[in-house]
Amino acid sequence: MSIFAYNGGAVVAMMGKDSIAIASDNRLGTQFNTIARNNIKVHQVGKKVFVGLPGLETDNQTLLAKIKFRMNMFRLREEREMPVKAVAAMLGNLLYEHRWGMFFVEPVVAGLDDDGKPYCVAFDSIGAGCAPDDFVVTGTAQDSLLGMCESLWRPDMDEDELFEVTSQALMASLDRDCLAGWGATVKILTADGKCTTRQLKTRMD
């Protein structure tokens, strides 16, 4: 089993019209043993920026602390919030700096830029990013998530449609992955800065 799959987990970020959704499962495990079902993988690091961290849990926590430290330093120095594309660039550089002793994490950055336009990017463990104009997926369920998102996603969805599509894609994919699941969390961010968090019930086996 890959070290990336040791603790399990899946994250998906999807763009709508002037809104963005990011969702993850709630399971924390060690291989096939489930330890907890309230594990947070999506973190709000700025007013309009989220980071999703599927991968090895110890590296998730270390990387999150480094992200928050660098964002706090930026806030103190610049006296403003770091925009989502700057967060993505910073995270890519941070991962590449540690390429010889890499973090076993495949992060997702999602949020709204200064113009209120959605933006999302997924990275591999050494900071190579992919920023499409529809959705990104990472984690142990990414193969089934890719197929579900390609089938369900459509452009210019409003926030209700975006929630429904993101939820259905994630729940269908979690049914096909024994290393992720046990509930899910979906966050919807709109152009006015309002963030809505909803919990989903999924299979508990």
Side-chain angles (χ1 to χ4, degrees):
M1 177 180 287
S2 166
I3 190 64
F4 290 94
Y6 183 78
N7 293 126
V11 173
V12 55
M14 193 174 287
M15 297 187 197
K17 183 180 181 181
D18 301 327
S19 60
I20 193 160
I22 183 167
S24 73
D25 72 305
N26 294 340
R27 178 184 183 271
L28 173 65
T30 54
Q31 297 183 352
F32 299 115
N33 299 318
T34 298
I35 295 173
R37 54 188 180 89
N38 60 351
N39 185 39
I40 299 172
K41 298 182 181 71
V42 175
H43 307 273
Q44 186 167 7
V45 295
K47 290 182 179 179
K48 296 185 178 181
V49 185
F50 291 91
V51 174
L53 297 172
L56 189 65
E57 182 61 23
T58 50
D59 283 357
N60 290 346
Q61 295 179 17
T62 302
L63 188 59
L64 179 64
K66 288 179 177 290
I67 292 169
K68 288 181 176 180
F69 170 77
R70 292 195 178 192
M71 291 188 69
N72 285 336
M73 292 300 294
F74 180 91
R75 192 178 295 113
L76 288 170
R77 184 172 58 250
E78 300 288 333
E79 296 183 351
R80 62 188 175 96
E81 290 289 323
M82 185 182 285
V84 62
K85 292 183 180 179
V87 175
M90 176 269 291
L91 180 54
N93 291 334
L94 175 59
L95 292 168
Y96 190 70
E97 285 174 13
H98 292 82
R99 62 192 179 279
W100 303 120
M102 65 183 184
F103 296 110
F104 297 112
V105 184
E106 295 176 325
V108 170
V109 175
L112 300 174
D113 63 18
D114 293 335
D115 298 323
K117 299 299 181 183
Y119 176 81
C120 64
V121 57
F123 295 95
D124 67 6
S125 56
I126 59 169
C130 174
D133 56 3
D134 45 14
F135 57 83
V136 293
V137 300
T138 58
T140 56
Q142 64 182 348
D143 292 340
S144 52
L145 268 170
L146 272 174
M148 287 304 302
C149 291
E150 286 174 350
S151 298
L152 297 176
W153 184 86
R154 56 189 183 275
D156 297 329
M157 291 183 288
D158 63 30
E159 54 187 284
D160 293 327
E161 293 173 318
L162 185 61
F163 167 74
E164 186 66 24
V165 169
T166 305
S167 301
Q168 292 297 332
L170 182 61
M171 290 172 66
S173 301
L174 295 180
D175 285 347
R176 292 158 176 81
D177 180 22
C178 64
L179 297 175
W182 287 75
T185 303
V186 182
K187 294 180 181 289
I188 308 289
L189 182 64
T190 56
D192 59 3
K194 177 186 174 185
C195 176
T196 303
T197 302
R198 298 179 183 176
Q199 299 293 327
L200 304 178
K201 290 185 178 180
T202 64
R203 286 177 56 174
M204 295 289 185
D205 57 355

